[in-house]
Amino acid sequence: AVTFGAAISACAKSGEWQQSLRLLHVMVRGKVELNTISFSASISACEKSSMWEKALQLFSVMPSKKVNLDAIAFSAAMSACEKGGKWEKALQLFNMMAQSKQHELDPINVCTAISACEKSGEWEKALLLFSAMERRKVKSIAVAFNAVICSYGKGKSWDKALQLFSVMAERKVESSIVTCSAVISACETIGQWQKALKLADTMVQCNVEVNSITFNSVIAACAKGGEWEKAFRFFGVMAQIRLKFDAITFSSAISACEKGCKWESALQFCRIMVQGKVECDKMTCSAAISACAKGAQWERALQLFTVMVHDQIKVDTISFNAAISVCENSGEWRAALQMLSLMSQRKVESGTSTFSAAISACDKSGEWKHAVHLLSVM
């Protein structure tokens, strides 16, 4: 049995789940005494190969073969379910283990259950498990913290995510890139852009692995804080470490340009998008139009709007409002009326601010009749 156990364990480590099951069947046919080690190693092999159904089959057979279900078997079966996105089955195993007096809950099993909940969008259950873990004084390890912080993010409890991140720092628990990205996103959402920048700076200085999601959140935080120079710096860092730019990256960077009245930079980012074949969306174009408008670049702003319409980018109320505001400031009352007509054709909702800008454009050009007409149809 010991020899078979060692061979099965070797197969498990190499991810050879089929060979591991063959050896287990040989043990059954040869009436070699089955033990926990052999089964746990086989379940682990299935888990590593994402064969959650096979892992559960082996786990369910153990009692009938009079083999004890130990913590390793539970852990491997739960992990297999978690990797397969079967969070309900992972929780069933966890509850079975928790109810059994023979097994003491360990951090790995609890973390697997928490991770299963978080990955499947069951963030409330993840939080409940973490609370139970803390009450029972089960040592909280990085995986649990990471999953729960992400769960707070999904539940939009940003303040709690930041508080828990502080607890991680106090306990000197290592945070993952996923955690840092979630915390930076939390900072960006609640307007704590200074904290987001500080954390991002620390990650870069300490050579912590970062990804596009992390930087997108940072650049968005810069944009909200009006820190266009910092947004540019982080955009440059992304280029240096060869991270992929996507529509969110450009949208955030152009938004930072808009707030900093840097219309030339906004247009430069638009050109980079075209060169990199990154699809331009309505948020990006609207921000670029607003940047041009703030820089009194009326013609360029209207050209961008025309490109949006020509390229069949979905144009919404925000895009139209930005363009009509350009018409108002440049005295292009005819273009303003054309855009109002286009809004109606495309069934885009027009609000008070839309009509106010169009009326103002007519007023500045002395077109009082059109202004009165617009006022009557508001």
Side-chain angles (χ1 to χ4, degrees), residues 149 152 157-168 182-188 190 192 195-196 199:
I149 285 174
Y152 277 132
S157 300
W158 307 113
D159 289 331
K160 289 181 180 178
L162 291 177
Q163 287 170 12
L164 193 57
F165 189 72
S166 298
V167 172
M168 283 186 78
V183 172
I184 288 172
S185 181
C187 293
E188 180 254 319
I190 62 175
Q192 297 285 335
K195 288 182 181 178
L199 178 56

Side-chain angles (χ1 to χ4, degrees), residues 58-70:
L58 287 171
F59 185 85
S60 62
V61 166
M62 287 176 74
S64 65
K65 299 294 182 181
K66 298 181 180 180
V67 178
N68 290 328
L69 296 169
D70 67 353

Side-chain angles (χ1 to χ4, degrees), residues 74 79 161 192 340 349:
F74 270 104
S79 183
Q192 297 285 335
L340 271 178
E349 187 179 351

